[in-house]
Amino acid sequence: MTHSLARTTTPRLTLVVAAVSVMVASNLFGASAHADDSPSVPPGTEPTVAAPVQVDPNDPDLKLPEGATLASAKVLDIKSVVEDQSGDERREDTNTDVKFALQAEVLFSKDSAKLSAESKARIGAIAEEIKTQNATRIRVFGFTDNLGSSAHGDVLSRQRANAVQAVLDDELNDPNVTFDVRGYGEQYPISSNATEEGRKKNRRVEVTFPRGAS
């Protein structure tokens, strides 16, 4: 088993939670700059099947009992989750990816896909991190709560994802960058829709990109 360390470098975020999870693949990106009208399961959620390093079952340092064999290797990843005190912004780091989740309330007015100047500054900070990681494949996914019709949520989340992608594209100004932009509506909530606190977390836009080589 390989132990890995994930780094967090965002100084203004204060609450850190660490969890061990199955490593997720990071190679499913499209070249589309607009949201998908018929989204599938969010890319990047599939576990990998190969261990990051080779394990030698004959290594004497393992000191296996006579006749024993190693179990199949498990691919583990250290996930670092950093959230600001208000919960408006959340960052997740794994060995392979960086994900920012911004609550819709800090980006848009109610039922709107128009970004404010302050919202654009937040997205600009994410663009700077993308540059730091030298990432050229970026996923931008929009989500809503389950209030209102599902069709309306699909459209709104798609419009919001497009709005965030447009700012990132302008800030990065790099023809080598490709985007996978989708609107998932009320699908894939990260909290319960039974309370307003949970619904607020579900109304979000996520920006995910690969980590640079360390």
Side-chain angles (χ1 to χ4, degrees), residues 57-163:
N58 298 315
D59 190 332
D61 292 333
L62 294 176
K63 298 181 180 179
L64 290 174
E66 185 176 353
T69 58
L70 287 176
S72 300
K74 294 182 179 179
V75 182
L76 299 180
D77 190 25
I78 301 298
K79 177 186 287 187
S80 172
V81 181
V82 183
E83 187 174 274
D84 63 8
Q85 290 181 335
S86 66
D88 292 343
E89 183 173 326
R90 176 184 178 97
R91 172 175 174 157
E92 296 182 8
D93 284 83
T94 71
N95 291 344
T96 56
D97 293 311
V98 179
K99 179 194 292 183
F100 285 91
L102 297 174
Q103 290 188 358
E105 279 78 355
V106 305
L107 298 176
F108 309 98
S109 299
K110 183 177 180 180
D111 209 31
S112 170
K114 184 177 181 180
L115 291 163
S116 66
E118 182 180 355
S119 301
K120 292 178 180 179
R122 281 180 177 264
I123 299 169
I126 295 176
E128 289 303 312
E129 181 64 18
I130 292 172
K131 293 177 183 177
T132 298
Q133 300 294 340
N134 295 315
T136 57
R137 298 170 296 166
I138 304 166
R139 298 193 294 262
V140 186
F141 297 161
F143 304 86
T144 63
D145 57 29
N146 66 347
L147 298 181
S149 71
S150 176
H152 177 71
D154 290 345
V155 172
L156 182 61
S157 65
R158 190 163 61 240
Q159 291 173 339
R160 287 175 168 177
N162 278 332

Side-chain angles (χ1 to χ4, degrees), residues 38-51:
S38 56
S40 60
V41 174
T45 60
E46 302 81 357
T48 56
V49 296

Side-chain angles (χ1 to χ4, degrees), residues 30-36 138 140 158 161-166 169 177-182:
S32 172
H34 296 284
D36 192 336
I138 304 166
V140 186
R158 190 163 61 240
N162 278 332
V164 171
Q165 181 271 334
D169 194 26
V177 171
T178 58
F179 292 90
D180 181 4
V181 189
R182 307 189 186 199

